[in-house]
Amino acid sequence: MPTSLHLHKDAIFEHIRTVVLEYLPKRYKILDVGPGIGIYGSNLQDLNIDAVEIHEPYIEQYKIKRYYKNVFVGNILEFNYDDYDYIIIGDVLEHIHVEAAQKLIKDITLKGIKCLVAVPFNCPQDAVDGVESEIHHQPDLTPRIMRSRYPELEVYLSTNMTDGYAYYTNYLKWIK
């Protein structure tokens, strides 16, 4: 299921356009991790945005190359994201095992790369249509668990904090 909830997406697109771009270098690079059907790319087409997708068939199936400058096939855990200034991890963190996800968020933050993370809470999911990368390895996410596992992240926007959905960033303290 390569889609995400559309909750607050317009606010997120506006945040990226008005707040984030103000703090990025003039020649910024944005990476959308796990673009799925290309929600971020299609709404931010005019920005310098690349994507990395773990499940290659999604690239053609959803024709996402039309939305991104470059689309790479790969796993974010093995991808060199050092040249990016901003990383969107929308509905991806829950698909990564805890230790690897913690290391990823810590590494991104230590490198000074700004990131936006969107996650569903209490959301178990098995493989979808045989796609193993769709499994949720962190189905237990809640606001409390996010705080304890990912101290680098702060809540930016959220819905129902128990069974809902939230957006986190690692940069609110940098731009205040």
Side-chain angles (χ1 to χ4, degrees):
M1 177 169 26
T3 61
S4 61
L5 294 175
H6 292 279
L7 297 167
H8 302 297
K9 285 287 192 273
D10 288 338
I12 294 299
F13 302 143
E14 182 67 16
H15 170 74
I16 291 171
R17 288 184 185 288
T18 60
V19 177
V20 172
L21 289 183
E22 183 178 327
Y23 291 91
L24 294 183
K26 194 172 195 106
R27 302 187 97 170
Y28 66 86
K29 286 178 70 178
I30 298 173
L31 180 65
D32 183 2
V33 178
I37 64 171
I39 294 293
Y40 291 97
S42 67
N43 286 277
L44 301 169
Q45 280 184 24
D46 56 315
L47 304 184
N48 185 15
I49 184 168
D50 292 343
V52 59
E53 173 58 56
I54 195 169
H55 187 63
E56 188 172 10
Y58 286 163
I59 296 169
E60 287 304 315
Q61 184 177 354
Y62 299 105
K63 302 180 184 350
I64 63 170
K65 286 184 180 179
R66 63 188 162 168
Y67 303 133
Y68 298 94
K69 187 172 182 182
N70 299 291
V71 177
F72 304 99
V73 177
N75 183 331
I76 188 59
L77 301 176
E78 301 161 358
F79 188 81
N80 182 356
Y81 49 79
D82 291 354
D83 290 336
Y84 290 92
D85 303 292
Y86 193 79
I87 299 176
I88 300 168
I89 305 173
D91 291 85
V92 171
L93 202 66
E94 67 273 16
H95 297 273
I96 303 173
H97 290 280
V98 173
E99 297 79 16
Q102 288 172 317
K103 183 176 181 224
L104 174 68
I105 297 300
K106 185 173 292 225
D107 188 59
I108 288 170
T109 303
L110 288 174
K111 289 178 177 177
I113 302 169
K114 294 171 179 65
C115 74
L116 172 76
V117 175
V119 294
F121 296 136
N122 295 312
C123 188
Q125 178 175 293
D126 290 325
V128 176
D129 297 326
V131 180
E132 295 291 315
S133 59
E134 293 288 354
I135 295 171
H136 286 189
H137 296 289
Q138 296 186 71
D140 61 340
L141 293 176
T142 63
R144 184 185 59 72
I145 289 173
M146 284 296 293
R147 272 192 308 278
S148 68
R149 285 186 191 161
Y150 306 101
E152 302 84 1
L153 300 176
E154 297 178 76
V155 175
Y156 175 68
L157 278 174
S158 65
T159 61
N160 176 321
M161 293 302 280
T162 305
D163 294 318
Y165 192 82
Y167 296 88
Y168 291 82
T169 74
N170 70 344
Y171 55 82
L172 289 179
K173 57 187 160 262
W174 299 352
I175 63 174
K176 287 182 180 174

